[in-house]
Amino acid sequence: MPTTRADVRPDLVVDFDIYDPALTMPVDRMQERTAELAKVGPIVWSPAYAGHWLVTAYDEVHEILRDPATFSSYPNNLVDAGQGKFLPIELDPPEHTSYRQALQPLFNPTRMRALEPRIRELVVELIEKFQGAGKVEFVEQFAHELPTTVFLALMGWPLEDAPMFTEATEIAMNGKPGDTPEQAVASRTEAAMQMFGYFMQVIHARRAAAEAGEELDDITTAVMHTRIKDAEGVERDLTDDELARMFFLLLIAGLHTVQGTLCWMMLHLSTNTDQRDAVIADADAIPAAVEEVLRYEAQVAMGRRAVRDVEIGGVTIKADDQLLLLLCSANRDDSQFADPQSLRVDRTPNRHLSFGSGPHRCIGSHLARVELRIAMEEIHKRIPDYRSDPEDPAVVLPSQVRGFARLPLLFTPVTPS
Amino acid sequence: MDRYLTVDRGACAGHGLCYGAAPEIVDCDDQGDPIILVEPVPEALLGQAEHVVDICPERALALQESLQASPSA
Ligand code: HEM
Ligand code: SF4
């Protein structure tokens, strides 16, 4: 029998729903709210979504991420919108392993470093488009454009399709603005189906091209050639359905996350100007500064499900209980980080969990780091005095991947050279 | 005395901070797992080696006097 509210010590029951818009609107209070939960305990209970455990402390989050035999990755979402599993994020080892090994080389550090010149060109081009204006809606003109363009080039998908799947992905994750909870489930499912339809078209077009001898050299082709080992150890091709689930995950995992971190970089460095000065003064400080921005605002809260009864963090978790791991509060756990509420760009060591840990640790981290580092370098060379627009505040959305809808910024205009 | 940088493969999660921070000492393979380039670590690079031991999020790296696996591994 999974845990019900009656089984939980009353002082550990909290009122928290990660999808509640009031958490981030009108002002983002996610960190404040999760810090309160962390004070209640390393693992607390929310009655939302038929009940789930919220893991707030660094050690417990780390332990759970590294123990897939006890904590399954399926389901990873509290609200099912995928109509089945996302691959490979909702598979457990050993099944997960061969998918992982197929994907990892495509995004490995050496390949991602080789993209640096192209990414830099794109970053400069994007900044030059708005640097003369003295203001910018940073999400639309930069934070969204950069990861989307880089990702589409890697995948070999048409740039014109971006607006369609940006919208569909957003709805698939968060529902439509103003949806009731029931409507949100329906909108999310519908948007997910639209995306699957799109991927099926991509797959069919690719197969037709391959037959005509016109195969492209990109990640889509590489993924389509992936051979995986099934549970019996037999090698086989991926089915179209599996391919679509993998592409959808790459899209969800790779765009919104980089977008959010870019926005937090701007928001927090603009209010911690001494930290920003350190970045402006010394470009060598940037890699560590990127890690600190990542630590300061972990946006992901992944789900896990206990496969057996287990004692952890002072509570008994029962088989089939759902857990939500709050990376944002783990990353501000003072048993792991000195002065965790301060942004310190030279923090070292910085063992943040923003990319997760264990077998599902983010495959795209090397790509994300290159994008974030180059953006930080070029922005601080060009428009170093940016600040948020007091008349037009940022809009942050909650959910298991928290992110920005808008971030209007002001700065001293610079004539493009 | 010679010092060796070792990776506990069970603990390493491929965060890549080590080879990002000290490419002269650690490279990575196709899967993004670390490869130690220098055995033993030359005197001049010991400071860097200590630094990567320090930054590894999984505490998977160690500086040891031999290549024997550490007792905890
Ligand atoms: C700042 C940017 C990013 C952050 C914070 C981030 C965060 C994460 C986290 C926390 C996980 C683990 C989820 C879990 O354990 O359930 C993960 C997995 C994953 N990420 Fe990222 N990510 C980022 C960028 C990217 C990019 C750019 C890509 C794609 C190119 C990507 C692709 C993936 C994939 C495929 C997985 C699943 C890995 C698996 O299941 O083995 N991510 N990411
Ligand atoms: S920093 Fe640690 S966990 Fe990351 S790749 Fe290096 S040894 Fe592995």
Side-chain angles (χ1 to χ4, degrees):
Chain A
M1 278 279 286
T3 302
T4 61
R5 184 184 179 136
D7 305 324
V8 183
R9 243 173 55 204
D11 59 305
L12 294 182
V13 177
V14 299
D15 176 18
F16 183 83
D17 170 1
I18 193 128
Y19 288 94
D20 180 2
L23 281 171
T24 57
M25 286 177 275
V27 179
D28 182 13
R29 296 193 189 285
M30 185 69 85
Q31 298 280 3
E32 216 175 286
R33 187 69 191 106
T34 56
E36 285 166 15
L37 303 180
K39 282 206 194 99
V40 176
I43 303 187
V44 301
W45 173 266
S46 162
Y49 307 104
H52 58 283
W53 298 101
L54 297 161
V55 187
T56 67
Y58 186 96
D59 285 342
E60 280 76 7
V61 168
H62 194 217
E63 186 180 332
I64 291 167
L65 287 174
R66 301 193 56 102
D67 185 2
T70 309
F71 301 99
S72 168
S73 279
Y74 184 72
N76 202 314
N77 286 299
L78 291 176
V79 185
D80 191 356
Q83 307 299 296
K85 292 186 185 184
F86 282 108
L87 302 180
I89 205 165
E90 294 191 299
L91 296 177
D92 298 317
E95 203 188 355
H96 168 256
T97 314
S98 73
Y99 291 84
R100 173 93 189 177
Q101 283 171 349
L103 277 182
Q104 240 162 204
L106 307 179
F107 296 95
N108 78 14
T110 319
R111 278 196 182 210
M112 297 304 111
R113 267 198 304 271
L115 299 174
E116 206 179 305
R118 274 168 62 201
I119 295 180
R120 192 175 300 277
E121 246 171 64
L122 173 63
V123 164
V124 171
E125 194 184 302
L126 291 173
I127 302 172
E128 285 185 341
K129 275 192 204 154
F130 62 74
Q131 70 179 31
K135 61 190 278 196
V136 62
E137 201 287 90
F138 189 70
V139 172
E140 189 183 7
Q141 295 202 49
F142 190 88
H144 174 73
E145 283 296 305
L146 172 62
T148 307
T149 312
V150 170
F151 182 78
L152 291 182
L154 277 173
M155 299 304 291
W157 300 344
L159 208 51
E160 308 85 78
D161 296 345
M164 181 282 290
F165 61 61
T166 299
E167 195 193 351
T169 309
E170 177 60 41
I171 298 173
M173 284 195 297
N174 293 319
K176 290 190 186 136
D179 272 353
T180 64
E182 296 75 36
Q183 285 167 339
V185 174
S187 338
R188 293 181 62 185
T189 308
E190 188 188 327
M193 295 326 281
Q194 186 186 350
M195 287 310 298
F196 281 122
Y198 175 75
F199 294 127
M200 285 303 174
Q201 277 174 22
V202 169
I203 293 164
H204 290 142
R206 289 308 185 103
R207 289 213 202 288
E211 269 165 37
E214 288 161 10
E215 197 159 60
L216 300 169
D217 177 20
D218 55 25
I219 290 187
T220 303
T221 299
V223 172
M224 289 181 68
H225 283 297
T226 299
R227 306 266 300 164
I228 53 128
K229 278 209 189 78
D230 66 16
E232 281 83 49
V234 181
E235 250 198 37
R236 63 168 178 84
D237 288 329
L238 290 167
T239 64
D240 288 2
D241 183 64
E242 287 172 327
L243 285 170
R245 286 172 198 287
M246 203 121 113
F247 291 146
F248 198 8
L249 174 72
L250 284 172
L251 190 72
I252 292 182
L255 303 192
H256 216 63
T257 46
V258 178
Q259 174 178 323
T261 305
L262 285 167
C263 291
W264 272 305
M265 167 180 104
M266 301 305 274
L267 196 65
H268 290 307
L269 287 176
S270 75
T271 53
N272 292 272
T273 48
D274 57 327
Q275 300 296 304
R276 178 164 68 184
D277 290 345
V279 166
I280 296 168
D282 178 12
D284 288 344
I286 287 179
V290 166
E291 296 306 313
E292 177 65 347
V293 172
L294 284 163
R295 177 194 74 88
Y296 204 63
E297 293 281 5
Q299 52 211 126
V300 176
M302 64 278 268
R304 291 294 188 266
R305 182 180 48 85
V307 299
R308 59 175 175 87
D309 293 4
V310 52
E311 306 268 332
I312 180 171
V315 300
T316 305
I317 291 178
K318 304 253 193 71
D320 269 341
D321 280 0
Q322 180 71 34
L323 297 92
L324 190 65
L325 314 188
L326 298 173
L327 298 185
C328 62
S329 76
N331 272 355
R332 296 200 185 189
D333 184 332
D334 61 10
S335 70
Q336 176 64 217
F337 301 98
D339 191 12
Q341 306 300 340
S342 306
L343 183 83
R344 297 203 328 228
V345 294
D346 62 350
R347 186 179 292 278
T348 181
N350 188 348
R351 301 192 179 97
H352 67 74
L353 294 173
S354 295
F355 290 122
S357 179
H360 292 280
R361 206 201 70 86
C362 181
I363 280 176
S365 63
H366 311 293
L367 174 59
R369 285 196 176 113
V370 173
E371 295 183 49
L372 294 167
R373 176 169 53 79
I374 294 176
M376 203 185 270
E377 287 170 11
E378 298 299 333
I379 285 170
H380 291 94
K381 275 189 222 159
R382 289 176 163 75
I383 50 156
D385 67 346
Y386 55 86
R387 60 196 181 279
S388 52
D389 183 346
E391 307 283 294
D392 193 356
V395 179
V396 178
L397 303 174
S399 99
Q400 286 182 247
V401 184
R402 190 166 42 116
F404 281 75
R406 278 173 68 75
L407 178 60
L409 296 174
L410 305 174
F411 54 90
T412 307
V414 196
T415 327
S417 47
Chain B
M1 187 193 5
D2 286 346
R3 309 278 298 277
Y4 295 86
L5 190 64
T6 58
V7 189
D8 175 347
R9 300 282 162 188
C12 170
H15 290 264
L17 292 174
C18 51
Y19 43 80
E24 288 173 74
I25 306 180
V26 197
D27 195 5
C28 62
D29 67 12
D30 205 31
Q31 291 287 336
D33 290 328
I35 307 169
I36 308 298
L37 297 175
V38 284
E39 283 175 352
V41 181
E43 198 66 38
L45 296 177
L46 272 178
Q48 277 192 51
E50 277 162 16
H51 176 65
V52 295
V53 167
D54 213 32
I55 61 174
C56 172
E58 310 295 344
R59 299 175 200 265
L61 296 170
L63 259 178
Q64 299 183 333
E65 283 160 25
S66 75
L67 279 175
Q68 300 295 305
S70 61
S72 67

